[in-house]
Amino acid sequence: MFLNSNLFEPGKSKLERNFVQVLTKQNNRLDGRSADDFRDVELTFGAEWGIVALTVGQTRVLAEVTCEIDAPTSARPNEGALFLNVDIDGVSFLDEVQTTHDQRVLALNSLLERTFRSSRCLDLESLCIASEQHVWYVRVNVKVLNHDGNLYDACTTAALAALMHFRRPDVTYNDKQIRTYSEKERELVPMLFLHYPVSVTYCVYKSSSKPVVDPTLLEENAADSVIVLSFNSYQELCTLNAGGSAPTTAHIIMQCARNASRRCKSMVQFIRKALALDTERRQAKQPVGLLELMRSTMPKITYNRLMNEESDVPVTNNEPVSNMATVATPQHQEPQNMIKEQRKQNKQEPVTPMDDSTWLPSTDEVKDKDNPKLKIKETLPQVKETRPKGSNNNRGKGKGGKNQKPKRTESDSEEETKPVI
Amino acid sequence: MTSSNFVMPGDRVSSIEDLAKTKRVILGPGLRRLDDKVVASKAGPLRHKEPNTFWVDNYQRRYVPARGDLVLGIVRAKAGDVYRVDIGSADVATISYLAFEAATKKNRPDLNPGDMIYARVLNANADIEPELVCVNSNGKRGKLGVLQDGFFFKCSLNLGRMLLRENCPALGALNEELPYEIAVGVNGRIWVKAHTPRDTLGLVNAILSLENAGYAEIEKVCGNLTEVMQT
């Protein structure tokens, strides 16, 4: 893992590692954030449906969704399929071998796989046109354009936003004939979601017991272990990926989970708002598309801007399942941006202090119920936990199967969800 | 420097040609002689050092090794009787076990992958790997050798060169704020160390804030360094 690259990468020298360790110990970060501060997230929607560019600090990814009609597999004749792929060719400091065989590509791909596919976030049966004959295959291609840490969150968020933005053409099936309608003939159809998962990444250092959220590349490379948690907007755990050599206790993971679930929820809200804003701009014939990345004629769709406007107006918290959110769309031409910015300082999201452990079950209880499971989390390099919504579990995932914890009972998942809601 | 001194690749620099008629002229990086013409091959401000040296100070982040350069390198691997050191150039540089002070065949320096060294480029040739040394010709280490603790960061080659310039006001201005150690490599890497990590971080930010300051504005920017370090 160490120095496997031919070219130099930040965070790979001892100097940097030690320095980051000492800094975290003193609760400082290189870019002046606190341990539970996120970088601002910016979304730019393409002119076409299903194209999203996402920027987190200097990290930039582009997600693109396409679809095609094909024959279903014989095992699941009435379901479409979702394919996800991440490629990091765009990262200039990686050579050819690294972009294809590096562990981080595998990690990213498997994270997306588990977050979206194994958790069955899309309603695949809605992608069926004619059972055993024709189904939709949806592909999500995530391209990493620049890597400054936390590709995990960037990729999952971009993929989710792209899927939510995507619309497929309407089709009818009559007399064994498929008819595809163009956009002019019939309205395009958005994807049907069962739930909306996004991930949050934490870095854990040996020197400090406080995990650091949304790491930069330097912090990520210097970290002793990286924890990636995916939650959906119902605050249910979809993926947990904890690896590395730092002693990660059940406590730390639960604390991360608690904060992450809240962040994921507001992230999904942000994506909804961004989509609503995008629709509004399209209807008003205002400029949309990736050109905005350079032109910036319209105000940027950023997390801080949208979510802080929201906190001024209390929004009814009614978990909208439909794609088009019912949330009030914020006015994008806000002249008092400055005021909002200032207000933001006061209106921080409620973040549970890391040392606050009152919500944890009493230690005895932890021993009784959680320990066998959490032990695995501590020891295994990669632990997978999927809690699919709906009836199905992860099938055909031989790769992940061996890492999966041996038994998954309902009470387990209750344990997972209870403390975080 | 006025804007007329800004050259683009392919520009003919007639001022040098005129001077060359009367005396010898030395053309530095970014300038080329084509017969009796002087043509710029890089974009940037044209610099002049009395009496007769000219070069183009172009913005660049990729380091091309040159003999005598002081560079910061990261040890990548041990290989036979040399270490492989990454200095940010196209090729990995090498440094011999014996190129350290008081090193003998039996008494080898203890370097491990990930260590950072401050070294001088001994050999730079297009066809072979660059070679580094950590001693001067008398076998003394001087300021070269392994760097402990502190923090290092990457910057443009220009920033490194600017800090190394004679009477650069920046390092003095920083010194008024706090005591620190610095090692500037012309390969676009700078190592700094102050008493506390927080101070080091402030230094890093202060130095990086000079990145976009030209030679002309540097005095002004140095006045603001205190503010930068507070943040």
Side-chain angles (χ1 to χ4, degrees), chain A residues 268-315:
Chain A
V268 174
Q269 266 173 13
F270 161 65
I271 298 175
R272 287 213 179 93
K273 289 186 159 212
L275 285 165
L277 195 56
D278 179 63
T279 327
E280 197 180 279
R281 285 183 186 177
R282 275 164 204 274
Q283 278 163 359
K285 300 268 185 249
Q286 280 164 335
V288 285
L290 294 183
L291 259 183
E292 284 302 298
L293 281 173
M294 298 190 306
R295 239 179 355 202
S296 19
T297 47
M298 303 298 287
K300 300 249 182 244
I301 307 179
T302 65
Y303 182 88
N304 284 349
R305 197 170 74 85
L306 255 60
M307 293 315 277
N308 288 314
E309 277 174 12
E310 174 247 12
S311 57
D312 297 341
V313 191
V315 179

Side-chain angles (χ1 to χ4, degrees), chain A residues 1-13:
Chain A
M1 179 180 128
F2 183 41
L3 293 177
N4 63 347
S5 63
N6 202 13
L7 278 159
F8 170 74
E9 229 179 283
K12 295 264 172 167
S13 73

Side-chain angles (χ1 to χ4, degrees), chain B residues 7-13 30-32 38-43 46 56:
Chain B
V7 291
M8 296 295 280
D11 280 0
R12 213 171 138 182
V13 193
L31 292 173
R32 278 185 193 189
V38 175
V39 178
S41 58
K42 284 175 174 169
L46 183 66
V56 179

Side-chain angles (χ1 to χ4, degrees), chain B residues 23-229:
Chain B
K23 58 177 176 180
R24 274 176 84 94
V25 180
I26 300 170
L27 297 183
L31 292 173
R32 278 185 193 189
R33 188 178 70 100
L34 296 176
D35 299 331
D36 55 345
K37 287 185 284 189
V38 175
V39 178
S41 58
K42 284 175 174 169
L46 183 66
R47 304 277 188 214
H48 170 47
K49 189 182 178 191
E50 292 296 339
N52 57 354
T53 313
F54 293 88
W55 74 99
V56 179
D57 187 24
N58 72 314
Y59 180 84
Q60 191 169 328
R61 293 183 80 94
R62 177 168 290 281
Y63 174 63
V64 181
R67 185 185 156 86
D69 280 355
L70 286 168
V71 294
L72 285 169
I74 299 162
V75 179
R76 296 230 84 106
K78 295 176 185 177
D81 51 358
V82 294
Y83 293 107
R84 299 213 175 280
V85 183
D86 178 272
I87 55 169
S89 58
D91 223 338
V92 178
T94 60
I95 184 164
S96 162
Y97 281 132
L98 301 172
F100 293 86
E101 189 178 71
T104 57
K105 284 228 159 180
K106 282 200 180 131
N107 181 22
R108 293 183 157 185
D110 183 31
L111 285 183
N112 291 304
D115 278 340
M116 176 136 233
I117 56 169
Y118 194 40
R120 187 181 289 281
V121 178
L122 180 72
N123 258 327
N125 188 309
D127 303 319
I128 54 171
E129 292 168 344
E131 192 184 344
L132 309 176
V133 279
C134 273
V135 284
N136 61 15
S137 51
N138 296 327
K140 292 278 177 267
R141 67 185 291 258
K143 302 283 183 192
L144 305 175
V146 183
L147 299 173
Q148 303 286 0
D149 302 328
F151 184 64
F152 94 99
F153 56 96
K154 297 209 278 183
C155 60
S156 70
L157 304 189
N158 308 54
L159 181 58
R161 281 202 300 263
M162 190 167 75
L163 292 176
L164 287 174
R165 211 163 48 112
E166 279 176 73
N167 6 312
C168 172
L171 299 183
L174 289 170
N175 205 8
E176 284 169 15
E177 299 301 322
L178 51 109
Y180 64 94
E181 284 180 72
I182 191 168
V184 182
V186 288
N187 57 343
R189 289 181 188 170
I190 297 176
W191 172 87
V192 284
K193 181 183 170 187
H195 280 312
T196 65
R198 225 187 140 69
D199 288 348
T200 311
L201 206 55
L203 270 175
V204 172
N205 289 334
I207 294 172
L208 280 176
S209 73
L210 299 170
E211 178 81 79
N212 293 321
Y215 283 17
E217 296 116 69
I218 189 158
E219 305 264 356
K220 200 169 68 192
V221 180
C222 286
N224 297 333
L225 282 182
T226 324
E227 274 172 45
V228 177
M229 293 187 64

Side-chain angles (χ1 to χ4, degrees), chain A residues 145-387:
Chain A
L145 305 177
N146 193 27
H147 182 12
D148 187 29
N150 206 356
L151 280 186
Y152 308 105
D153 298 2
C155 287
T156 49
T157 316
L160 179 68
L163 276 170
M164 285 167 79
H165 188 243
F166 180 66
R167 271 140 186 68
R168 65 176 168 83
D170 202 3
V171 288
T172 48
Y173 185 69
N174 271 330
D175 304 329
K176 306 213 165 181
Q177 286 287 317
I178 298 183
R179 171 141 189 243
T180 315
Y181 294 92
S182 71
E183 195 173 355
K184 280 173 194 151
E185 291 169 302
R186 278 200 192 179
E187 256 198 25
L188 299 178
V189 190
M191 296 279 113
L192 262 183
F193 283 86
L194 295 172
H195 62 108
Y196 303 86
V198 263
S199 69
V200 171
T201 305
Y202 289 89
C203 275
V204 188
Y205 300 90
K206 280 178 179 159
S207 65
S208 153
S209 62
K210 198 171 176 183
V212 163
V213 82
D214 192 10
T216 59
L217 182 59
L218 174 59
E219 288 171 328
E220 199 177 308
N221 277 338
D224 294 307
S225 64
V226 178
I227 304 177
V228 188
L229 298 131
S230 297
F231 279 89
N232 61 20
S233 49
Y234 308 101
Q235 307 197 322
E236 294 164 327
L237 184 65
C238 295
T239 314
L240 170 70
N241 194 348
S245 55
T248 331
T249 60
H251 239 75
I252 290 182
I253 293 188
M254 292 301 265
Q255 280 164 344
C256 291
R258 191 174 161 81
N259 290 331
S261 67
R262 196 176 290 127
R263 164 75 178 184
C264 291
K265 191 177 170 186
S266 63
M267 195 46 141
V268 174
Q269 266 173 13
F270 161 65
I271 298 175
R272 287 213 179 93
K273 289 186 159 212
L275 285 165
L277 195 56
D278 179 63
T279 327
E280 197 180 279
R281 285 183 186 177
R282 275 164 204 274
Q283 278 163 359
K285 300 268 185 249
Q286 280 164 335
V288 285
L290 294 183
L291 259 183
E292 284 302 298
L293 281 173
M294 298 190 306
R295 239 179 355 202
S296 19
T297 47
M298 303 298 287
K300 300 249 182 244
I301 307 179
T302 65
Y303 182 88
N304 284 349
R305 197 170 74 85
L306 255 60
M307 293 315 277
N308 288 314
E309 277 174 12
E310 174 247 12
S311 57
D312 297 341
V313 191
V315 179
T316 46
N317 208 346
N318 59 339
E319 280 306 335
V321 184
S322 71
N323 207 351
M324 286 289 86
T326 49
V327 216
T329 45
Q331 282 95 49
H332 49 269
Q333 274 143 348
E334 269 287 359
Q336 332 115 308
N337 242 352
M338 297 299 284
I339 307 166
K340 303 286 179 197
E341 280 301 304
Q342 282 169 354
R343 216 172 279 179
K344 166 194 129 192
Q345 305 297 332
N346 315 331
K347 292 247 177 184
Q348 282 291 338
E349 290 170 52
V351 173
T352 322
M354 281 297 187
D355 49 356
D356 173 15
S357 53
T358 47
W359 51 271
L360 265 180
S362 68
T363 30
D364 294 347
E365 239 178 288
V366 173
K367 276 208 179 88
D368 286 349
K369 289 184 183 165
D370 274 1
N371 234 15
K373 179 180 62 186
L374 292 165
K375 258 282 146 55
I376 300 170
K377 284 177 189 166
E378 285 170 53
T379 46
L380 273 185
Q382 213 180 48
V383 178
K384 176 197 152 177
E385 181 165 327
T386 323
R387 217 178 78 84

